[in-house]
Amino acid sequence: MTVRIVVADDQELVRAGFSMILDAQPDIEVVAEAGDGAEAVAAVREHQPDVLLLDVRMPTMDGIEAARIVCAETGCRVLMLTTFDLDDYIYDALRAGASGFLLKDVRRDDLVHAVRVVAAGESLLAPSVTRKLIAEFTSRATTRPAVSPSERLAVLTVREQETLGMIARGLSNAEIAEAMVLSEHTVKTHVSNVLTKLGLRDRVQAVITAYETGLTVPGGSG
């Protein structure tokens, strides 16, 4: 199966570089390039790619708004790019539905891997981005409306809530399986149930939900 991708960045050299790297892969095809958010949205509508590699800061329409439109209208997965790991837009990008976040200085192999992971329906965050995301929840804690975990998460079993808490801590399925003394197959089932019952796209949104409901507290163990 070939992963079809649109590359959107307002810097031509950066855009061309990423496109060249990705298009050289036997299982990846760059179907279009875009120089701003509006062009990115138009390209996704026209070509219906599997993944949109999208810069956060762009003219005409920024990456956040473009991601919001693409995620709302299509099944295309969005992988965000930024120059700095302390980007103020990380939280908003993930809330918009982005499935991953990478730094622009990402290594060639890691870029290719990220596209494949996101195309397969998984989520991907650089460790520094995960730390930033948690810090963002901490700073917004006093302004977010309180949400009772018992209300939002009542549809989950105790095991599924435990699984959600571990997802929020960044644990992989293998690590969750070890911690809960379960098989990876069982953990995959729990993860799938969590996403389905809560109506979430992927693990990134699961992390957000865990913090917003108070199931996981910044700085805590989850």
Side-chain angles (χ1 to χ4, degrees):
M1 174 183 167
T2 299
V3 177
R4 303 174 74 255
I5 184 168
V6 168
V7 177
D9 194 296
D10 62 321
Q11 295 179 289
E12 184 178 358
L13 289 179
V14 172
R15 186 170 71 243
F18 282 134
S19 294
M20 181 178 65
I21 291 171
L22 294 170
D23 219 22
Q25 305 305 311
D27 59 335
I28 298 176
E29 177 188 3
V30 177
V31 296
E33 294 183 17
D36 60 49
E39 289 182 6
V41 171
V44 169
R45 287 170 174 164
E46 178 180 355
H47 297 281
Q48 301 183 343
D50 303 298
V51 177
L52 169 61
L53 186 63
L54 181 64
D55 187 17
V56 169
R57 295 186 173 110
M58 290 189 294
T60 309
M61 177 191 294
D62 66 23
I64 306 300
E65 183 59 25
R68 187 173 292 114
I69 293 172
V70 167
C71 292
E73 292 186 0
T74 75
C76 178
R77 313 279 293 182
V78 176
L79 183 57
M80 305 295 297
L81 287 165
T82 184
T83 306
F84 306 104
D85 62 348
L86 296 181
D87 198 303
D88 292 335
Y89 297 105
I90 289 176
Y91 179 87
D92 291 333
L94 297 177
R95 287 293 291 160
S99 297
F101 221 107
L102 290 176
L103 304 183
K104 283 191 177 180
D105 63 358
V106 63
R107 296 186 310 165
R108 177 191 302 256
D109 290 347
D110 290 339
L111 171 66
V112 174
H113 172 70
V115 168
R116 290 172 177 153
V117 166
V118 170
E122 297 295 327
S123 55
L124 184 144
L125 289 175
S128 57
V129 173
T130 302
R131 290 194 294 272
K132 171 62 178 176
L133 179 61
I134 293 173
E136 192 72 15
F137 277 110
T138 303
S139 67
R140 292 172 182 239
T142 58
T143 60
R144 291 198 315 273
V147 179
S148 170
S150 61
E151 295 175 9
R152 179 80 190 276
L153 306 181
V155 295
L156 302 181
T157 65
V158 173
R159 278 297 204 184
E160 288 165 356
Q161 289 195 31
E162 291 177 0
T163 301
L164 176 57
M166 292 186 184
I167 292 173
R169 288 163 50 197
L171 273 64
S172 66
N173 284 354
E175 292 168 333
I176 294 174
E178 182 178 357
M180 297 177 70
V181 195
L182 298 171
S183 68
E184 279 195 56
H185 176 74
T186 299
V187 170
K188 287 181 181 179
T189 299
H190 286 331
V191 172
S192 178
N193 288 342
V194 167
L195 298 181
T196 299
K197 289 181 178 181
L198 297 179
L200 306 174
R201 288 170 62 99
D202 49 38
R203 294 172 83 102
V204 172
Q205 290 197 333
V207 172
I208 292 173
T209 298
Y211 281 100
E212 287 189 332
T213 59
L215 177 68
T216 299
V217 179
S221 59

